[in-house]
Amino acid sequence: MIIYINDKPCEAQVGDLLLNAAKRNKSHIGYICGGNAICQSCFVYVLEGADCLSKPGEDEKAFISDQLFAESGRLACRTTIVKEGTIRVLTRAEKFRRIVLGLNVPGFITYAQTIGYNVTTKLPSGVSSIVSRVQTGRLNPVDTVGKIASGLGPASQLAMNNFIETFPFMQMPLDMAGNAAKGALDTASGALCSVSGGRLHLPGSTCTTHDKPAESIERITISTK
């Protein structure tokens, strides 16, 4: 079946989490916490097909206010496709981008008020939910940290993509800055390797010294009488 995330058609099937369907189709919904339902980065607005999705569970209710539920808000990491049908969702990041592009000042004010209200009213229940899940073993802190680490890359990429789509004229300056930064890292990494005599590389850098094939070593056998 086809679902629509930010108007992009995505292949999905019954039983899929909205978050996983988005990831498979490179239409990433934010997921800073790695899909552990301890943040709202995967928040989406269900524009159509709410009846094709699972009902909100306790994890979602702990983080989403009645006001946002009334606007068909859901956490994609906890929302499963339960039957086929037309499903359209809009991510929070995309909704914000469209408000900015449309210079919709009243819409921006309403959006900010709604998000602010949700944060202030649901923070206690959200924290309580996390503590309860840790105590009952439904949330593993070590596993959670690992998922957060793996989710940072795609989440930052999503933010960058949204930024470039909103301000396309910034693409070239960002590329130039990125290339300059990588060049500086590569140079520094090579210098560190030379000084240390080993493989002391910086994160995100390469080292031309160690990219070359290793030189063969001539071995000499010395014997004594």
Side-chain angles (χ1 to χ4, degrees):
M1 64 181 289
I2 299 294
I3 67 173
Y4 296 87
I5 301 174
N6 297 335
D7 297 328
K8 175 185 176 180
C10 300
E11 287 281 349
Q13 58 187 5
V14 174
D16 280 346
L17 284 170
L18 285 180
L19 179 60
N20 292 341
K23 289 163 61 178
R24 278 203 316 270
N25 288 272
K26 307 301 180 185
S27 180
H28 292 309
I29 295 170
Y31 54 107
I32 293 175
C33 76
N36 283 293
I38 60 175
C39 71
Q40 293 186 31
S41 60
C42 70
F43 184 91
V44 297
Y45 297 90
V46 180
L47 306 181
E48 186 176 357
D51 60 316
C52 298
L53 303 173
S54 59
K55 300 297 182 183
E58 293 303 315
D59 292 348
E60 285 185 88
K61 292 177 181 178
F63 283 92
I64 300 178
S65 66
D66 292 340
Q67 186 174 351
L68 282 179
F69 272 131
E71 295 182 18
S72 300
R74 299 295 303 272
L75 294 184
C77 71
R78 287 295 184 271
T79 305
T80 304
I81 300 173
V82 295
K83 68 176 182 179
E84 293 195 5
T86 301
I87 299 174
R88 294 179 182 274
V89 302
L90 186 70
T91 65
R92 174 177 284 170
E94 178 62 15
K95 181 172 182 175
F96 179 73
R97 188 178 77 90
R98 294 181 183 184
I99 290 174
V100 172
L101 285 178
L103 301 177
N104 184 353
V105 176
F108 176 80
I109 294 174
T110 301
Y111 175 86
Q113 288 175 336
T114 302
I115 300 304
Y117 172 80
N118 186 81
V119 171
T120 55
T121 58
K122 302 305 291 185
L123 181 60
S125 62
V127 172
S128 176
S129 171
I130 294 172
V131 172
S132 174
R133 280 186 283 157
V134 170
Q135 291 176 336
T136 57
R138 292 195 299 122
L139 186 64
N140 185 321
V142 175
D143 179 62
T144 298
V145 171
K147 288 182 177 180
I148 290 174
S150 65
L152 287 176
S156 61
Q157 187 62 53
L158 172 69
M160 180 59 70
N161 289 344
N162 279 332
F163 182 82
I164 293 301
E165 288 176 8
T166 304
F167 307 106
F169 59 87
M170 290 296 294
Q171 176 70 63
M172 185 175 293
L174 286 171
D175 288 344
M176 293 174 62
N179 291 334
K182 186 177 187 305
L185 280 175
D186 291 347
T187 301
S189 185
L192 286 172
C193 286
S194 298
V195 172
S196 67
R199 294 176 177 269
L200 189 56
H201 297 169
L202 294 172
S205 65
T206 58
C207 178
T208 54
T209 301
H210 293 119
D211 287 343
K212 297 176 182 177
E215 296 181 2
S216 59
I217 299 175
E218 183 178 352
R219 299 185 181 277
I220 301 175
T221 303
I222 300 176
S223 60
T224 58
K225 294 183 179 180

